[in-house]
């Protein structure tokens, strides 16, 4: 519970940071707004065609009587819309980060510098950073799709599908949303995706405390745009908690032996320990 509260605290700290730096907040809303327009159009189309998708997926119910045919296809249509909403919540962040990659890199660096002990900028060309980000986002999407299928099937279980499954859906969305948002800051610290996932699993309460409230905020379309810059700033602060005292110049390098503890070399070329 303490970790959950800490994660929520990082979310609010990020929003406060961008509120104090209005220029970053304004520019940060532009990629989110562009992405939002595309997603609203896609979800609208999904809602309009959900009934046809339900009919296509259940040809065996063509000759069912009322009310069973309506109940089945209504449930299928609702499940399709719910799955689309789940995927949109998670993938929205990934797409927004790709659209606004140069900006969010700068925002992350500025937050790091304002807090001190900022890592060095990775020496990678822009196209390479985009490729790595796209690959990592696709990997996350595959994982989300796997959980989405399980949750979709769980939705048909009586009672559980209407109570436990929605809660699990929010938790899954919140966790992977945190994975996506912290990716920018953790990539700057040269932490590979497999290790990022391990870090966030080890601090699951922290990840859920940051991500789940953000998922709820993202359910309101315009609030998504307003919250996105602060979410990136807060995720940077959270990454500093996961990997504290980072100096990217030393990342992955073996620690040098302290000179005070190093063996002294005698005149004969042999090592002798000093006190």
């Amino acid at each position: 519970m303490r970790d959950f509260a800490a994660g929520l605290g990082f979310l609010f700290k990020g929003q406060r940071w961008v509120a104090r730096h209005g220029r970053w907040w304004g520019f940060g809303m532009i990629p989110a707004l562009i992405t939002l327009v595309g997603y609203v159009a896609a979800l609208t189309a999904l809602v309009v065609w959900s009934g046809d998708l339900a009919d296509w997926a259940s040809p065996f119910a063509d000759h069912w009587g009322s009310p069973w045919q309506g109940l089945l296809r209504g449930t299928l249509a609702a499940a399709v819309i719910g799955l689309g909403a789940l995927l949109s919540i998670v993938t929205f962040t990934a797409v927004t980060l790709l659209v606004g990659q140069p900006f969010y890199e700068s925002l992350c660096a500025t937050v790091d510098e304002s807090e001190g002990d900022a890592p060095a900028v990775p020496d990678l060309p822009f196209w390479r950073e985009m490729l790595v980000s796209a690959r990592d986002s696709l990997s996350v999407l595959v994982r989300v799709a796997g959980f989405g299928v399980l949750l979709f099937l769980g939705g048909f279980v009586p009672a559980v599908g209407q109570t436990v499954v929605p809660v699990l859906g929010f938790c899954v969305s919140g966790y992977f949303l945190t994975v996506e948002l912290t990716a920018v800051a953790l990539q700057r610290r040269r932490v590979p995706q497999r290790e990022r996932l391990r870090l966030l699993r080890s601090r699951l309460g922290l990840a859920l405390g940051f991500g789940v409230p953000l998922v709820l905020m993202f359910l309101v379309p315009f609030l998504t745009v307003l919250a996105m810059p602060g979410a990136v700033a807060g995720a940077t602060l959270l990454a500093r908690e996961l990997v504290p005292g980072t100096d990217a110049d030393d990342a992955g390098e073996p620690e040098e032996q302290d000179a005070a503890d190093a063996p002294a070399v005698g005149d004969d070329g042999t090592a002798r320990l000093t006190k």
Side-chain angles (χ1 to χ4, degrees), residues 116-201:
D117 196 20
V121 179
D123 188 18
L124 287 175
F126 175 71
W127 69 267
R128 178 66 176 171
E129 289 183 3
M130 288 289 290
L131 184 61
V132 171
S133 296
R135 181 199 64 195
D136 289 349
S137 295
L138 181 60
S139 175
V140 169
L141 179 58
V142 170
R143 288 179 167 87
V144 172
F147 280 104
V149 170
L150 293 176
L151 292 172
F152 175 81
L153 296 175
F156 293 101
V157 179
V160 174
Q162 293 72 47
T163 54
V164 177
V165 170
V167 173
L168 290 177
F170 279 113
C171 290
V172 170
S173 299
Y175 172 77
F176 284 109
L177 192 57
T178 305
V179 169
E180 286 288 350
L181 286 167
T182 54
V184 178
L186 292 176
Q187 281 174 0
R188 297 185 76 244
R189 288 159 171 77
R190 301 176 186 172
V191 180
Q193 188 187 55
R194 185 182 299 274
E195 180 64 13
R196 297 199 298 267
L197 292 169
R198 189 198 65 79
L199 281 171
L200 288 168
R201 282 199 305 269

Coordinates of all heavy atoms in Angstrom, one line a residue, residues 116-201:
G116 N 18.9 17.1 -10.7 CA 20.3 16.8 -10.5 C 20.7 15.4 -10.8 O 19.8 14.5 -10.9
D117 N 22.0 15.1 -10.9 CA 22.4 13.7 -11.2 C 21.8 13.1 -12.4 O 21.3 12.0 -12.4 CB 22.2 12.9 -10.0 CG 23.0 11.6 -10.0 OD1 24.0 11.6 -10.7 OD2 22.6 10.6 -9.3
A118 N 21.8 14.0 -13.5 CA 21.2 13.5 -14.8 C 22.2 12.6 -15.5 O 23.4 12.8 -15.5 CB 20.8 14.7 -15.6
P119 N 21.7 11.5 -16.2 CA 22.5 10.7 -17.0 C 23.0 11.4 -18.2 O 22.3 12.3 -18.7 CB 21.7 9.5 -17.3 CG 20.3 10.0 -17.3 CD 20.3 11.1 -16.2
A120 N 24.1 10.9 -18.8 CA 24.5 11.4 -20.1 C 23.6 11.0 -21.2 O 22.9 9.9 -21.1 CB 26.0 11.0 -20.4
V121 N 23.5 11.8 -22.2 CA 22.7 11.5 -23.4 C 23.2 10.3 -24.1 O 24.4 10.3 -24.5 CB 22.5 12.7 -24.3 CG1 21.6 12.3 -25.5 CG2 22.0 13.9 -23.6
P122 N 22.5 9.2 -24.4 CA 23.0 8.1 -25.1 C 23.4 8.5 -26.5 O 22.8 9.3 -27.2 CB 21.7 7.2 -25.2 CG 20.9 7.6 -24.1 CD 21.1 9.0 -23.9
D123 N 24.5 8.0 -26.9 CA 25.1 8.3 -28.2 C 24.5 7.4 -29.3 O 25.1 6.5 -29.9 CB 26.6 8.1 -28.2 CG 27.3 8.7 -29.5 OD1 26.7 9.5 -30.2 OD2 28.5 8.3 -29.7
L124 N 23.2 7.7 -29.7 CA 22.5 7.0 -30.7 C 21.9 8.0 -31.7 O 21.4 9.0 -31.3 CB 21.4 6.1 -30.1 CG 21.8 4.9 -29.3 CD1 20.5 4.2 -28.7 CD2 22.5 3.9 -30.2
P125 N 21.9 7.6 -33.0 CA 21.2 8.5 -33.9 C 19.7 8.5 -33.7 O 19.2 7.5 -33.2 CB 21.6 7.9 -35.3 CG 22.0 6.5 -35.0 CD 22.6 6.5 -33.6
F126 N 19.1 9.5 -34.2 CA 17.6 9.6 -34.0 C 16.8 8.4 -34.6 O 15.9 7.9 -33.9 CB 17.1 10.9 -34.6 CG 15.6 11.1 -34.5 CD1 15.0 11.3 -33.3 CD2 14.8 11.0 -35.7 CE1 13.6 11.5 -33.3 CE2 13.5 11.1 -35.6 CZ 12.8 11.4 -34.4
W127 N 17.2 8.0 -35.8 CA 16.5 6.9 -36.4 C 16.6 5.6 -35.6 O 15.7 4.8 -35.5 CB 17.0 6.6 -37.8 CG 18.4 6.1 -37.9 CD1 19.6 6.8 -38.0 CD2 18.8 4.7 -37.8 NE1 20.6 6.0 -38.1 CE2 20.2 4.7 -38.0 CE3 18.1 3.5 -37.7 CZ2 20.9 3.5 -37.9 CZ3 18.8 2.3 -37.7 CH2 20.2 2.3 -37.8
R128 N 17.8 5.4 -34.9 CA 18.0 4.3 -34.1 C 17.2 4.3 -32.8 O 16.6 3.3 -32.4 CB 19.5 4.2 -33.7 CG 19.9 3.1 -32.8 CD 19.7 1.7 -33.4 NE 20.2 0.6 -32.6 CZ 20.0 -0.6 -32.8 NH1 19.4 -1.0 -33.9 NH2 20.4 -1.6 -32.0
E129 N 17.0 5.5 -32.2 CA 16.2 5.7 -31.0 C 14.7 5.3 -31.4 O 14.0 4.7 -30.6 CB 16.3 7.1 -30.5 CG 17.6 7.4 -29.8 CD 17.7 8.8 -29.3 OE1 16.6 9.5 -29.3 OE2 18.7 9.2 -28.8
M130 N 14.3 5.8 -32.6 CA 12.9 5.6 -33.0 C 12.7 4.1 -33.2 O 11.7 3.5 -32.9 CB 12.6 6.3 -34.3 CG 12.5 7.8 -34.1 SD 11.0 8.3 -33.3 CE 9.8 7.9 -34.5
L131 N 13.7 3.4 -33.8 CA 13.6 2.0 -34.1 C 13.5 1.2 -32.7 O 12.7 0.3 -32.6 CB 14.8 1.5 -34.9 CG 14.8 0.0 -35.3 CD1 13.6 -0.3 -36.2 CD2 16.1 -0.3 -36.0
V132 N 14.3 1.5 -31.8 CA 14.3 0.9 -30.5 C 13.0 1.1 -29.8 O 12.4 0.2 -29.2 CB 15.5 1.3 -29.6 CG1 15.3 0.8 -28.2 CG2 16.8 0.9 -30.2
S133 N 12.5 2.3 -29.8 CA 11.2 2.6 -29.2 C 10.1 1.9 -29.8 O 9.2 1.3 -29.1 CB 10.9 4.1 -29.3 OG 11.9 4.9 -28.5
A134 N 10.1 1.8 -31.2 CA 9.0 1.1 -31.9 C 9.1 -0.4 -31.6 O 8.0 -1.0 -31.3 CB 9.1 1.3 -33.4
R135 N 10.3 -0.9 -31.5 CA 10.4 -2.4 -31.2 C 9.9 -2.7 -29.8 O 9.2 -3.7 -29.6 CB 11.9 -2.8 -31.3 CG 12.1 -4.3 -31.1 CD 13.6 -4.5 -30.8 NE 14.0 -3.8 -29.6 CZ 15.3 -3.5 -29.2 NH1 16.3 -3.9 -30.0 NH2 15.6 -2.9 -28.1
D136 N 10.3 -1.8 -28.8 CA 9.9 -2.1 -27.4 C 8.4 -1.9 -27.3 O 7.7 -2.7 -26.6 CB 10.6 -1.1 -26.5 CG 12.1 -1.4 -26.3 OD1 12.5 -2.5 -26.8 OD2 12.8 -0.6 -25.8
S137 N 7.8 -0.9 -28.0 CA 6.4 -0.7 -27.9 C 5.6 -1.9 -28.5 O 4.6 -2.3 -28.0 CB 6.0 0.6 -28.6 OG 6.5 1.7 -28.0
L138 N 6.1 -2.4 -29.6 CA 5.5 -3.6 -30.2 C 5.5 -4.8 -29.3 O 4.5 -5.5 -29.2 CB 6.2 -3.9 -31.5 CG 5.6 -5.1 -32.3 CD1 4.1 -4.9 -32.7 CD2 6.4 -5.4 -33.6
S139 N 6.6 -4.9 -28.6 CA 6.8 -6.0 -27.6 C 5.7 -5.9 -26.5 O 5.1 -6.9 -26.1 CB 8.2 -6.0 -27.0 OG 8.3 -7.0 -26.0
V140 N 5.5 -4.6 -26.0 CA 4.5 -4.4 -25.0 C 3.1 -4.7 -25.5 O 2.3 -5.3 -24.8 CB 4.6 -2.9 -24.5 CG1 3.4 -2.6 -23.6 CG2 5.9 -2.7 -23.7
L141 N 2.9 -4.2 -26.8 CA 1.6 -4.5 -27.4 C 1.2 -5.9 -27.5 O 0.1 -6.3 -27.2 CB 1.5 -3.8 -28.7 CG 0.2 -4.0 -29.5 CD1 -0.9 -3.4 -28.7 CD2 0.3 -3.3 -30.9
V142 N 2.2 -6.8 -27.8 CA 2.0 -8.2 -27.9 C 1.6 -8.8 -26.5 O 0.7 -9.6 -26.4 CB 3.3 -8.9 -28.4 CG1 3.1 -10.4 -28.2 CG2 3.5 -8.6 -29.9
R143 N 2.3 -8.3 -25.5 CA 2.0 -8.7 -24.1 C 0.6 -8.3 -23.7 O -0.2 -9.0 -23.1 CB 3.0 -8.2 -23.1 CG 4.4 -8.8 -23.2 CD 5.3 -8.2 -22.2 NE 6.5 -9.0 -22.0 CZ 7.6 -8.8 -22.8 NH1 7.6 -7.9 -23.8 NH2 8.7 -9.6 -22.5
V144 N 0.2 -7.0 -24.0 CA -1.1 -6.5 -23.7 C -2.2 -7.3 -24.4 O -3.2 -7.6 -23.9 CB -1.2 -5.0 -24.0 CG1 -2.6 -4.5 -23.9 CG2 -0.3 -4.2 -23.2
A145 N -1.9 -7.6 -25.7 CA -2.9 -8.4 -26.5 C -3.1 -9.8 -25.9 O -4.3 -10.2 -25.8 CB -2.4 -8.5 -27.9
G146 N -2.1 -10.4 -25.4 CA -2.2 -11.7 -24.7 C -3.1 -11.6 -23.5 O -4.0 -12.4 -23.3
F147 N -2.8 -10.6 -22.6 CA -3.7 -10.4 -21.5 C -5.1 -10.0 -21.9 O -6.1 -10.4 -21.2 CB -3.1 -9.2 -20.6 CG -2.0 -9.7 -19.7 CD1 -0.7 -9.4 -20.0 CD2 -2.3 -10.4 -18.5 CE1 0.4 -9.8 -19.2 CE2 -1.2 -10.9 -17.7 CZ 0.1 -10.6 -18.0
G148 N -5.2 -9.2 -23.0 CA -6.5 -8.8 -23.4 C -7.4 -10.0 -23.8 O -8.6 -10.0 -23.5
V149 N -6.8 -11.0 -24.5 CA -7.5 -12.2 -24.9 C -8.0 -12.9 -23.7 O -9.2 -13.4 -23.6 CB -6.7 -13.1 -25.8 CG1 -7.3 -14.4 -26.0 CG2 -6.4 -12.4 -27.1
L150 N -7.1 -13.1 -22.7 CA -7.5 -13.7 -21.4 C -8.7 -13.0 -20.7 O -9.6 -13.6 -20.2 CB -6.3 -13.9 -20.5 CG -5.2 -14.8 -21.0 CD1 -4.0 -14.8 -20.0 CD2 -5.7 -16.2 -21.1
L151 N -8.6 -11.7 -20.6 CA -9.6 -10.9 -20.0 C -10.9 -11.0 -20.8 O -12.0 -11.0 -20.2 CB -9.2 -9.4 -19.8 CG -8.0 -9.2 -18.9 CD1 -7.5 -7.8 -18.9 CD2 -8.4 -9.5 -17.4
F152 N -10.8 -11.0 -22.1 CA -12.0 -11.1 -23.0 C -12.7 -12.4 -22.7 O -13.9 -12.4 -22.5 CB -11.5 -11.0 -24.4 CG -12.6 -11.3 -25.4 CD1 -13.5 -10.3 -25.8 CD2 -12.8 -12.5 -26.0 CE1 -14.5 -10.5 -26.7 CE2 -13.8 -12.7 -26.9 CZ -14.7 -11.7 -27.2
L153 N -12.0 -13.5 -22.6 CA -12.6 -14.8 -22.3 C -13.1 -14.8 -20.9 O -14.2 -15.4 -20.6 CB -11.5 -15.9 -22.5 CG -11.0 -16.1 -23.9 CD1 -9.9 -17.2 -23.9 CD2 -12.2 -16.5 -24.8
G154 N -12.4 -14.2 -19.9 CA -12.9 -14.1 -18.6 C -14.1 -13.3 -18.4 O -14.9 -13.5 -17.4
G155 N -14.4 -12.4 -19.4 CA -15.7 -11.7 -19.3 C -16.9 -12.5 -19.4 O -18.0 -12.0 -19.1
F156 N -16.8 -13.7 -19.9 CA -17.9 -14.6 -20.1 C -18.2 -15.4 -18.9 O -19.2 -16.1 -18.8 CB -17.7 -15.5 -21.3 CG -17.7 -14.8 -22.6 CD1 -16.5 -14.5 -23.2 CD2 -18.9 -14.4 -23.2 CE1 -16.5 -13.8 -24.4 CE2 -18.9 -13.7 -24.4 CZ -17.7 -13.4 -25.0
V157 N -17.3 -15.4 -17.9 CA -17.5 -16.1 -16.6 C -18.6 -15.4 -15.8 O -18.3 -14.2 -15.5 CB -16.2 -16.3 -15.9 CG1 -16.5 -17.1 -14.6 CG2 -15.2 -17.0 -16.7
P158 N -19.7 -16.0 -15.4 CA -20.7 -15.3 -14.6 C -20.1 -14.7 -13.3 O -19.2 -15.4 -12.7 CB -21.7 -16.4 -14.3 CG -21.5 -17.4 -15.4 CD -20.0 -17.4 -15.7
A159 N -20.5 -13.6 -13.0 CA -20.1 -12.8 -11.7 C -18.7 -12.4 -11.8 O -18.4 -11.2 -11.7 CB -20.3 -13.7 -10.5
V160 N -17.7 -13.3 -12.1 CA -16.3 -12.9 -12.2 C -16.1 -12.0 -13.3 O -15.4 -11.0 -13.2 CB -15.4 -14.2 -12.3 CG1 -14.0 -13.8 -12.6 CG2 -15.5 -15.0 -11.1
G161 N -16.8 -12.2 -14.5 CA -16.6 -11.4 -15.6 C -17.1 -10.0 -15.5 O -16.6 -9.1 -16.1
Q162 N -18.0 -9.7 -14.5 CA -18.5 -8.4 -14.3 C -17.9 -7.7 -13.1 O -18.2 -6.5 -12.9 CB -20.0 -8.5 -14.1 CG -20.8 -8.9 -15.3 CD -20.6 -10.4 -15.7 OE1 -20.7 -11.2 -14.8 NE2 -20.4 -10.7 -17.0
T163 N -17.1 -8.4 -12.3 CA -16.5 -7.8 -11.1 C -14.9 -7.9 -11.1 O -14.3 -6.8 -11.2 CB -17.0 -8.5 -9.9 OG1 -16.8 -9.9 -10.0 CG2 -18.5 -8.3 -9.7
V164 N -14.4 -9.1 -11.1 CA -13.0 -9.2 -11.0 C -12.3 -8.8 -12.3 O -11.2 -8.1 -12.3 CB -12.6 -10.7 -10.7 CG1 -11.1 -10.9 -10.7 CG2 -13.2 -11.1 -9.3
V165 N -12.8 -9.2 -13.5 CA -12.2 -9.0 -14.8 C -11.9 -7.5 -15.0 O -10.9 -7.1 -15.4 CB -12.9 -9.6 -15.9 CG1 -12.4 -9.2 -17.3 CG2 -12.8 -11.2 -15.8
P166 N -13.0 -6.6 -14.8 CA -12.7 -5.2 -15.0 C -11.6 -4.6 -14.1 O -10.8 -3.8 -14.6 CB -14.0 -4.5 -14.7 CG -15.1 -5.6 -14.9 CD -14.4 -6.9 -14.5
V167 N -11.5 -5.1 -12.9 CA -10.5 -4.6 -12.0 C -9.1 -5.1 -12.5 O -8.1 -4.3 -12.5 CB -10.7 -5.2 -10.5 CG1 -9.5 -4.8 -9.6 CG2 -12.0 -4.6 -10.0
L168 N -9.0 -6.4 -12.9 CA -7.8 -6.9 -13.5 C -7.4 -6.1 -14.8 O -6.2 -5.8 -15.0 CB -7.9 -8.3 -13.8 CG -7.9 -9.3 -12.6 CD1 -8.1 -10.7 -13.1 CD2 -6.7 -9.2 -11.8
G169 N -8.4 -5.7 -15.5 CA -8.2 -4.9 -16.7 C -7.5 -3.6 -16.4 O -6.6 -3.2 -17.1
F170 N -8.0 -2.9 -15.4 CA -7.4 -1.7 -15.0 C -6.0 -1.8 -14.5 O -5.1 -1.0 -14.8 CB -8.3 -1.0 -13.9 CG -9.4 -0.2 -14.5 CD1 -10.7 -0.7 -14.2 CD2 -9.3 0.9 -15.3 CE1 -11.8 0.0 -14.7 CE2 -10.4 1.6 -15.8 CZ -11.6 1.1 -15.5
C171 N -5.7 -2.9 -13.8 CA -4.4 -3.2 -13.2 C -3.4 -3.5 -14.4 O -2.3 -3.0 -14.4 CB -4.4 -4.3 -12.2 SG -5.3 -3.9 -10.7
V172 N -3.8 -4.3 -15.3 CA -3.0 -4.6 -16.5 C -2.7 -3.4 -17.3 O -1.5 -3.1 -17.6 CB -3.7 -5.7 -17.4 CG1 -2.9 -5.9 -18.7 CG2 -3.7 -7.1 -16.6
S173 N -3.7 -2.6 -17.5 CA -3.5 -1.3 -18.3 C -2.6 -0.4 -17.5 O -1.7 0.2 -18.1 CB -4.9 -0.7 -18.5 OG -5.8 -1.5 -19.2
G174 N -2.8 -0.3 -16.2 CA -1.9 0.6 -15.4 C -0.5 0.2 -15.4 O 0.4 1.0 -15.5
Y175 N -0.3 -1.1 -15.3 CA 1.1 -1.6 -15.3 C 1.8 -1.3 -16.6 O 2.9 -0.8 -16.6 CB 1.1 -3.1 -15.0 CG 2.5 -3.7 -15.1 CD1 3.5 -3.6 -14.1 CD2 2.8 -4.5 -16.2 CE1 4.7 -4.1 -14.3 CE2 4.1 -5.0 -16.4 CZ 5.0 -4.9 -15.4 OH 6.3 -5.4 -15.5
F176 N 1.2 -1.7 -17.7 CA 1.9 -1.5 -19.0 C 1.9 0.0 -19.4 O 2.8 0.4 -20.1 CB 1.2 -2.3 -20.1 CG 1.5 -3.8 -20.0 CD1 0.6 -4.7 -19.5 CD2 2.8 -4.2 -20.3 CE1 0.9 -6.1 -19.4 CE2 3.2 -5.6 -20.2 CZ 2.2 -6.5 -19.8
L177 N 1.0 0.8 -18.9 CA 1.1 2.2 -19.1 C 2.3 2.8 -18.4 O 3.0 3.6 -19.0 CB -0.2 2.9 -18.6 CG -0.4 4.4 -19.0 CD1 -0.5 4.5 -20.5 CD2 -1.7 4.9 -18.4
T178 N 2.6 2.3 -17.2 CA 3.8 2.7 -16.5 C 5.1 2.2 -17.3 O 6.1 3.0 -17.3 CB 3.8 2.2 -15.1 OG1 2.6 2.6 -14.4 CG2 5.0 2.7 -14.3
V179 N 5.0 1.0 -17.8 CA 6.1 0.5 -18.6 C 6.4 1.4 -19.7 O 7.6 1.8 -20.0 CB 5.8 -0.9 -19.1 CG1 6.8 -1.4 -20.1 CG2 5.8 -1.9 -17.9
E180 N 5.4 1.8 -20.5 CA 5.6 2.7 -21.6 C 6.2 4.1 -21.2 O 7.1 4.6 -21.9 CB 4.3 2.9 -22.4 CG 3.9 1.6 -23.2 CD 4.7 1.4 -24.4 OE1 5.5 2.3 -24.8 OE2 4.6 0.4 -25.0
L181 N 5.6 4.7 -20.2 CA 6.0 6.0 -19.8 C 7.4 6.1 -19.2 O 8.1 7.1 -19.4 CB 4.9 6.6 -18.9 CG 3.6 7.0 -19.5 CD1 2.5 7.3 -18.4 CD2 3.8 8.2 -20.4
T182 N 7.8 5.1 -18.5 CA 9.1 5.1 -17.9 C 10.2 4.7 -18.9 O 11.4 4.8 -18.6 CB 9.2 4.2 -16.7 OG1 8.8 2.9 -17.1 CG2 8.4 4.7 -15.5
A183 N 9.7 4.2 -20.1 CA 10.7 3.7 -21.1 C 11.7 4.8 -21.5 O 12.9 4.6 -21.7 CB 10.0 3.2 -22.3
V184 N 11.2 6.1 -21.7 CA 12.0 7.1 -22.1 C 13.2 7.4 -21.2 O 14.3 7.5 -21.5 CB 11.2 8.4 -22.3 CG1 12.1 9.6 -22.8 CG2 10.1 8.2 -23.4
A185 N 12.8 7.5 -19.9 CA 13.8 7.8 -18.9 C 14.8 6.6 -18.6 O 16.0 6.8 -18.4 CB 13.2 8.2 -17.5
L186 N 14.2 5.4 -18.7 CA 15.1 4.3 -18.4 C 15.9 3.9 -19.6 O 17.0 3.4 -19.5 CB 14.2 3.1 -18.0 CG 13.5 3.2 -16.7 CD1 12.6 2.0 -16.4 CD2 14.5 3.3 -15.6
Q187 N 15.5 4.3 -20.8 CA 16.4 4.1 -22.0 C 17.6 5.0 -21.9 O 18.7 4.7 -22.3 CB 15.6 4.4 -23.3 CG 14.7 3.2 -23.7 CD 13.8 3.6 -24.9 OE1 13.9 4.7 -25.4 NE2 13.0 2.6 -25.4
R188 N 17.3 6.2 -21.4 CA 18.4 7.2 -21.2 C 19.4 6.6 -20.2 O 20.6 7.0 -20.2 CB 17.9 8.5 -20.7 CG 17.0 9.2 -21.7 CD 16.6 10.6 -21.3 NE 17.7 11.6 -21.4 CZ 18.4 12.2 -20.4 NH1 18.0 11.9 -19.2 NH2 19.3 13.0 -20.7
R189 N 19.0 5.8 -19.3 CA 19.9 5.1 -18.3 C 20.4 3.8 -18.8 O 21.0 3.1 -18.0 CB 19.1 5.0 -17.0 CG 18.9 6.3 -16.3 CD 17.7 6.3 -15.3 NE 17.7 7.5 -14.5 CZ 17.3 8.6 -14.9 NH1 16.7 8.7 -16.1 NH2 17.3 9.7 -14.1
R190 N 20.2 3.5 -20.1 CA 20.7 2.3 -20.7 C 20.2 1.0 -20.1 O 20.9 0.0 -19.9 CB 22.2 2.3 -20.8 CG 22.8 3.5 -21.5 CD 24.3 3.5 -21.5 NE 24.8 4.8 -22.1 CZ 26.0 5.1 -22.0 NH1 26.9 4.4 -21.4 NH2 26.4 6.3 -22.6
V191 N 18.9 1.1 -19.6 CA 18.3 -0.1 -19.0 C 17.5 -0.8 -20.1 O 16.5 -0.2 -20.6 CB 17.4 0.3 -17.8 CG1 16.7 -1.0 -17.2 CG2 18.1 1.1 -16.8
P192 N 17.8 -2.0 -20.5 CA 17.0 -2.7 -21.6 C 15.6 -3.0 -21.1 O 15.3 -3.1 -19.9 CB 17.9 -4.0 -21.8 CG 18.6 -4.2 -20.6 CD 18.9 -2.8 -20.0
Q193 N 14.8 -3.3 -22.1 CA 13.3 -3.5 -21.8 C 13.1 -4.7 -20.8 O 12.3 -4.6 -19.9 CB 12.5 -3.8 -23.0 CG 11.0 -3.8 -22.8 CD 10.2 -4.2 -24.0 OE1 10.5 -5.2 -24.5 NE2 9.3 -3.4 -24.3
R194 N 13.8 -5.8 -21.0 CA 13.7 -6.9 -20.1 C 13.9 -6.6 -18.6 O 13.2 -6.9 -17.7 CB 14.6 -8.1 -20.5 CG 14.4 -9.4 -19.7 CD 15.4 -10.4 -20.2 NE 15.2 -10.8 -21.6 CZ 14.3 -11.7 -22.0 NH1 13.6 -12.3 -21.2 NH2 14.2 -11.9 -23.3
E195 N 15.0 -5.7 -18.4 CA 15.3 -5.3 -17.1 C 14.3 -4.3 -16.6 O 14.0 -4.3 -15.4 CB 16.7 -4.7 -17.1 CG 17.2 -4.2 -15.7 CD 17.3 -5.3 -14.7 OE1 17.3 -6.5 -15.0 OE2 17.5 -4.9 -13.5
R196 N 13.7 -3.5 -17.5 CA 12.7 -2.5 -17.1 C 11.5 -3.2 -16.6 O 10.9 -2.8 -15.6 CB 12.3 -1.6 -18.3 CG 13.5 -0.7 -18.8 CD 13.0 0.4 -19.6 NE 12.3 0.1 -20.8 CZ 12.8 0.0 -22.0 NH1 14.1 0.1 -22.2 NH2 12.1 -0.3 -23.1
L197 N 11.1 -4.3 -17.3 CA 9.9 -5.1 -16.8 C 10.2 -5.7 -15.5 O 9.3 -5.7 -14.6 CB 9.6 -6.1 -17.9 CG 9.1 -5.6 -19.2 CD1 9.1 -6.7 -20.3 CD2 7.7 -5.0 -19.1
R198 N 11.4 -6.2 -15.3 CA 11.8 -6.8 -14.0 C 11.7 -5.8 -12.9 O 11.2 -6.1 -11.8 CB 13.1 -7.5 -14.1 CG 13.5 -8.3 -12.9 CD 15.0 -8.6 -12.8 NE 15.7 -7.3 -12.5 CZ 15.8 -6.7 -11.3 NH1 15.2 -7.3 -10.3 NH2 16.5 -5.6 -11.2
L199 N 12.2 -4.6 -13.1 CA 12.2 -3.6 -12.1 C 10.8 -3.2 -11.7 O 10.5 -3.1 -10.5 CB 13.0 -2.3 -12.6 CG 14.5 -2.3 -12.6 CD1 15.0 -1.1 -13.4 CD2 15.0 -2.3 -11.2
L200 N 9.9 -3.0 -12.7 CA 8.6 -2.6 -12.3 C 7.8 -3.8 -11.7 O 6.9 -3.5 -10.9 CB 7.9 -2.1 -13.6 CG 8.4 -0.8 -14.1 CD1 7.9 -0.5 -15.5 CD2 8.0 0.3 -13.1
R201 N 8.1 -5.0 -12.1 CA 7.4 -6.1 -11.4 C 7.9 -6.2 -10.0 O 7.1 -6.6 -9.1 CB 7.8 -7.5 -12.1 CG 7.0 -7.7 -13.4 CD 7.0 -9.2 -13.8 NE 8.3 -9.7 -13.9 CZ 9.1 -9.7 -15.0 NH1 8.5 -9.2 -16.1 NH2 10.3 -10.2 -15.0

